[in-house]
Amino acid sequence: MEKYFRLLLFPVLISFTEGQNCTAEDGTEGIELWEDCYSIENTQSINLVCIMCPASQKLQGPIPPEIGLLTNLTVLNILLNNISGPIPSEIGDLTNLITLNLGYNNLSGPIPSEIGNLTNLNTLHLAGNHLSGAIPSEIGNLTNLEYLGLSQNQLYGVIPENICSLEDSVISQVLASGNYFCPPYPFCIEDSSIQESEYCDNGIECIADDGTDGNILWGSCYSIENTTVINLSGNNGNDLGSLYGPIPPEIGQFLNLDTLNLSLNNLSGTIPSEISYLNNLKTLNLHYNKLSGNLPLEIENLTGLENLFLNNNKMYGSIPSQVGNLSNLIKLHINQNFISGSIPPEIGNLGNLESLHIAENNLAGEIPSEMFNLQNLRYLNIRRVPFGMSPINGNNRFSQSYVFSNIVNLGSIETLIAPDCGLMGNIPPGIGNLQNLQTLNVQHNYLEGIIPESICDLNIDFNASSWGVRDFDLSGNNLCLPYPACVAGSGGLSNQDTSNCNIDLNWNFSLSEQIVTINGDDQIWNPGENISIELDLCNNSDIAHMYYPGIVLKADSQIVSIDNEYYWFYGLDSNSCNTATFNVLADSSINFNTSINFKAYAEALNCENQSEYCIDSDTIAFSIPIIFETVYAYEPIQIPNEFALHQNYPNPFNPITSLRYDLPNDGLVNITIYDMMGRIVKTLVNSSQIAGYKSIQWNATNDRNEPVSAGLYLYTIQAGEFRQTKKMVLLK
């Protein structure tokens, strides 16, 4: 069956399972690409143009190399998305392609020479990307081209002579704006028709001002022997500078170079391996450019390097293990690129490292424990894209790992930013010893258990924020009550999933001189302190009176009485749920004011048919059946505005993944896992739940607790009229 996708206005976000085997709709073997399964044998057209759709809904990530398996493909059109990384060489296997449209994405790196295999191409549209390097000579093989779009990239170098084998109209398209070509030009191109780029002088020998031999770099002559600093950083931090094209390999001749600062420019291409010759280099600053490619393995030779800034580029590939040889490194910033793979454990060898910034890449796998052995580390940022925002560069997808407890080893740490990074386990009691810690942001992880009281020993301002982000934020975890007084009202503990906390909250109400006193399990209260008790009473009966003999309760500052002998504290009709707030005095000790929200489903109470609730004494021991949420004083419970089923994390996974979902209303919830044949594998949830932010784990077992095989699975949520299904991949 041939798949057609006509101009999608609002395509869904892709999952992170591209390249996995699957079964196509026609029953043939398929490959998963952009959250759909394409038949390897029968797919002829893929059209995923994204017109007028928000950035959050554009296709993300690289083009999977498995695209080359679709050898019968004639049309590949993913115009106007947010695809990043290089064009895979496997694209050259699609020899039946007539239309290849990758325009206006975030592609980087060179045009692969294998593109010359696509001799049937009529249209090749690569404009509006960040492609760099020279035009491959193999492009001259595309003699059937009628349209060639290469404008608005960072292509540079000499135009190949065999481009003259193309039609004149196609050649004129090559010369469109936004690239940086150098002479000599092919015979079919007039010199006057193209503007020479300034970088073309790079590497030309010259005599420096001090009379020594030099090289021209970006229009200036630098002494090969005596130059120790090259600082051509853009002058304005908001506007990129004037340098274009690649870093010339001749940079490796400046052996006495101490500082190379080319930040805040428009440099493109790869970092030349010759940079490894600069044995005296202490600072290499290339941040905020359009550099692509891998970090050269030869960088291990820069043993004197102290500062390496490669952030905010288009670099891909992995972090080489050789980075562990840079023993003098103090700052390593490679954030906001497309770097993939795992964090090498050799990073733990960087004993002098003070600042490690690797956020917003495509890193995956477990966070190595060795990273938490860096005694001198002061700043650590490994976050994904900020929660709720669309990625501009990469988006880390770390596996769940029990490494957070090792934070106590980071004796010098001042800033730890690691939201949504798969951190698991308990907060260690020793966290209070980190006296330098000023920012702790680990929201949306899987931390659990009780927050130790020692957290109050930190010097963090628990209520402060910087640039709109809290200095202290543990929200969106699985942390249990009670919370230490220092953080209870901070706002950095919202959206906790306490479903696995096993907290017993059976409250006993008693009488003492017309003052209600409350004793809670395992709580510490301050005598005489005001406690705000908030009761949500919902009842389906016609009578909703709860009688207490001799009690006077103030509901919203009003005494509500039934007669001289009994007082009722709230009344409802059969179709309503209402809230009453009572201020009472505690008779024992508690560390903080709290507001507890009870949802009580009370039957009609009267002494004729429910005498067990009518006690003719001064004391009542009455346990209310409670479904509860706990919030802090002055901070209301946060309830989602709408239903949502989020992508499981991690995905792919082995053997545990977490499913998160949002419930704006109470009600029956069913979450079921299916195999690709539609058979039920596991029922994770089938119960009534209260509104809130929820999560549940699946350990890759079926309803009989037997391990299931690797493959593609579906998970579905049904809550009232809300139904949604998503995919996930189990690896073995």
Side-chain angles (χ1 to χ4, degrees):
M1 181 184 298
E2 183 175 326
K3 283 185 177 288
Y4 291 95
F5 294 82
R6 299 298 183 192
L7 299 182
L8 299 180
L9 298 182
F10 296 98
V12 298
L13 282 171
I14 67 166
S15 68
F16 303 112
T17 60
E18 290 86 349
Q20 300 292 326
N21 291 331
C22 57
T23 300
E25 291 181 356
D26 61 0
T28 61
E29 183 182 0
I31 198 76
E32 178 129 356
L33 303 170
W34 302 298
E35 211 172 51
D36 216 325
C37 187
Y38 294 88
S39 168
I40 293 175
E41 179 182 357
N42 297 326
T43 301
Q44 297 181 16
S45 178
I46 296 178
N47 196 337
L48 296 174
V49 180
C50 188
I51 300 175
M52 298 177 62
C53 48
S56 61
Q57 295 182 356
K58 292 178 178 288
L59 302 181
Q60 313 284 341
I63 300 174
E66 290 81 4
I67 192 82
L69 297 175
L70 306 180
T71 53
N72 291 316
L73 204 63
T74 61
V75 175
L76 177 58
N77 188 354
I78 52 177
L79 178 75
L80 292 167
N81 279 283
N82 201 20
I83 300 296
S84 57
I87 300 174
S89 60
E90 290 80 0
I91 207 85
D93 296 335
L94 306 179
T95 54
N96 289 306
L97 270 184
I98 297 173
T99 297
L100 177 58
N101 192 344
L102 308 178
Y104 297 97
N105 281 279
N106 278 312
L107 294 167
S108 57
I111 300 173
S113 60
E114 290 81 2
I115 205 93
N117 298 338
L118 309 181
T119 55
N120 291 308
L121 272 185
N122 176 273
T123 297
L124 177 58
H125 188 7
L126 304 177
N129 284 285
H130 305 284
L131 299 171
S132 58
I135 298 175
S137 60
E138 289 79 2
I139 207 159
N141 299 339
L142 309 181
T143 55
N144 288 311
L145 275 184
E146 295 181 5
Y147 177 82
L148 176 60
L150 299 178
S151 63
Q152 300 180 50
N153 282 285
Q154 289 90 49
L155 299 170
Y156 53 81
V158 176
I159 301 173
E161 285 284 343
N162 63 354
I163 203 168
C164 295
S165 63
L166 304 180
E167 296 290 334
D168 290 344
S169 59
V170 176
I171 295 172
S172 65
Q173 297 163 14
V174 174
L175 306 180
S177 62
N179 294 293
Y180 317 106
F181 299 119
C182 297
Y185 303 120
F187 68 89
C188 57
I189 298 175
E190 297 181 5
D191 291 359
S192 59
S193 65
I194 188 169
Q195 183 177 358
E196 182 178 333
S197 174
E198 294 180 359
Y199 99 92
C200 293
D201 290 336
N202 292 348
I204 296 178
E205 295 181 357
C206 59
I207 302 298
D209 291 342
D210 60 1
T212 60
D213 292 338
N215 256 321
I216 294 178
L217 302 176
W218 300 288
S220 297
C221 184
Y222 292 90
S223 169
I224 295 175
E225 180 181 356
N226 296 327
T227 299
T228 59
V229 175
I230 295 180
N231 187 352
L232 297 175
S233 176
N235 294 325
N236 191 324
N238 297 316
D239 297 323
L240 297 181
S242 58
L243 301 187
Y244 294 88
I247 300 173
E250 289 79 9
I251 195 71
Q253 298 180 10
F254 298 86
L255 301 182
N256 292 315
L257 205 60
D258 174 274
T259 299
L260 177 61
N261 186 356
L262 306 176
S263 63
L264 296 163
N265 280 290
N266 276 297
L267 296 172
S268 56
T270 61
I271 299 174
S273 60
E274 290 82 357
I275 209 159
S276 63
Y277 302 157
L278 307 180
N279 294 324
N280 291 306
L281 200 63
K282 293 183 178 179
T283 295
L284 176 59
N285 190 349
L286 305 176
H287 84 274
Y288 277 101
N289 278 284
K290 298 172 182 177
L291 297 168
S292 59
N294 296 285
L295 187 64
L297 299 180
E298 297 86 353
I299 199 169
E300 65 178 326
N301 297 328
L302 303 181
T303 54
L305 200 63
E306 298 177 356
N307 304 297
L308 178 58
F309 303 109
L310 303 177
N311 49 296
N312 297 86
N313 279 286
K314 307 290 181 182
M315 300 189 67
Y316 48 85
S318 60
I319 303 174
S321 60
Q322 289 84 349
V323 75
N325 296 332
L326 305 180
S327 58
N328 289 304
L329 209 58
I330 297 173
K331 295 182 179 180
L332 175 58
H333 292 190
I334 56 175
N335 52 294
Q336 293 184 273
N337 281 283
F338 302 107
I339 295 173
S340 57
S342 58
I343 302 173
E346 289 82 1
I347 208 157
N349 299 337
L350 306 180
N352 292 311
L353 200 64
E354 296 181 3
S355 181
L356 177 59
H357 200 342
I358 55 178
E360 300 179 48
N361 278 286
N362 287 327
L363 295 167
E366 292 191 3
I367 299 170
S369 59
E370 291 83 355
M371 195 168 65
F372 287 86
N373 295 333
L374 301 173
Q375 294 289 315
N376 290 308
L377 196 64
R378 296 165 53 199
Y379 182 93
L380 175 60
N381 189 344
I382 57 175
R383 74 179 184 189
R384 294 169 54 110
V385 173
F387 192 76
M389 296 181 63
S390 300
I392 299 175
N393 291 76
N395 199 11
N396 295 330
R397 306 174 192 90
F398 294 112
S399 305
Q400 297 180 23
S401 54
Y402 290 92
V403 295
F404 184 74
S405 61
N406 294 335
I407 188 178
V408 296
N409 298 332
L410 302 178
S412 301
I413 196 70
E414 298 175 4
T415 298
L416 174 60
I417 303 175
D420 207 9
C421 289
L423 300 175
M424 302 178 67
N426 300 93
I427 299 175
I431 194 171
N433 298 327
L434 303 178
Q435 292 299 295
N436 296 313
L437 191 59
Q438 301 173 20
T439 299
L440 177 61
N441 187 335
V442 289
Q443 59 177 322
H444 300 292
N445 281 287
Y446 302 94
L447 303 180
E448 59 188 8
I450 301 295
I451 301 175
E453 289 286 341
S454 61
I455 203 166
C456 297
D457 296 332
L458 296 174
N459 291 319
I460 294 179
D461 185 344
F462 296 105
N463 294 296
S465 62
S466 303
W467 303 99
V469 178
R470 290 186 176 276
D471 290 355
F472 174 81
D473 200 339
L474 303 182
S475 60
N477 281 283
N478 306 321
L479 298 167
C480 300
L481 292 167
Y483 301 132
C486 61
V487 301
S490 67
L493 287 167
S494 61
N495 300 338
Q496 300 295 327
D497 183 355
T498 58
S499 57
N500 295 318
C501 288
N502 298 320
I503 299 174
D504 186 9
L505 286 179
N506 290 320
W507 298 79
N508 295 318
F509 294 74
S510 62
L511 304 178
S512 177
E513 298 180 354
Q514 294 188 342
I515 296 175
V516 177
T517 58
I518 303 176
N519 297 311
D521 298 336
D522 300 321
Q523 306 294 315
I524 303 176
W525 295 357
N526 294 320
E529 186 169 2
N530 276 316
I531 310 290
S532 177
I533 304 297
E534 194 175 281
L535 297 166
D536 280 357
L537 304 179
C538 303
N539 198 323
N540 294 321
S541 65
D542 293 331
I543 305 172
H545 299 164
M546 298 183 70
Y547 297 91
Y548 286 79
I551 301 178
V552 178
L553 293 177
K554 293 184 177 181
D556 299 328
S557 302
Q558 295 181 3
I559 298 176
V560 183
S561 70
I562 299 176
D563 54 40
N564 293 328
E565 204 173 323
Y566 293 86
Y567 294 87
W568 70 320
F569 63 89
Y570 216 77
L572 316 168
D573 62 34
S574 60
N575 298 313
S576 67
C577 294
N578 296 287
T579 300
T581 300
F582 306 95
N583 291 315
V584 301
L585 295 177
D587 65 352
S588 54
S589 172
I590 194 172
N591 291 332
F592 56 92
N593 293 328
T594 190
S595 174
I596 298 179
N597 185 12
F598 296 85
K599 291 188 176 178
Y601 301 87
E603 297 295 329
L605 303 180
N606 58 65
C607 292
E608 284 78 20
N609 57 22
Q610 293 181 332
S611 60
E612 67 270 22
Y613 296 109
C614 296
I615 303 175
D616 297 324
S617 67
D618 292 333
T619 302
I620 296 176
F622 180 74
S623 293
I624 301 176
I626 296 167
I627 302 172
F628 68 90
E629 300 247 4
T630 304
V631 297
Y632 305 106
Y634 315 116
E635 184 178 344
I637 295 173
Q638 296 191 21
I639 303 295
N641 294 323
E642 58 186 15
F643 287 103
L645 178 64
H646 303 289
Q647 186 65 53
N648 65 300
Y649 181 84
N651 188 38
F653 66 99
N654 179 21
I656 297 174
T657 190
S658 292
L659 283 61
R660 293 187 177 184
Y661 53 102
D662 303 340
L663 300 178
N665 304 313
D666 304 347
L668 180 65
V669 178
N670 179 278
I671 298 178
T672 305
I673 296 174
Y674 299 87
D675 62 20
M676 292 305 296
M677 302 298 293
R679 298 172 295 198
I680 295 177
V681 176
K682 183 90 168 185
T683 301
L684 289 180
V685 177
N686 189 26
S687 62
S688 294
Q689 295 190 343
I690 63 171
Y693 298 90
K694 308 291 182 180
S695 72
I696 190 170
Q697 290 187 332
W698 183 42
N699 62 354
T701 62
N702 58 23
D703 279 329
R704 299 182 298 276
N705 290 322
E706 301 166 340
V708 300
S709 59
L712 187 66
Y713 291 86
L714 305 175
Y715 59 100
T716 299
I717 186 172
Q718 180 172 339
E721 296 182 355
F722 175 72
R723 294 173 176 84
Q724 192 170 356
T725 300
K726 290 184 176 291
K727 301 175 184 178
M728 57 183 171
V729 175
L730 170 63
L731 303 177
K732 290 292 182 71

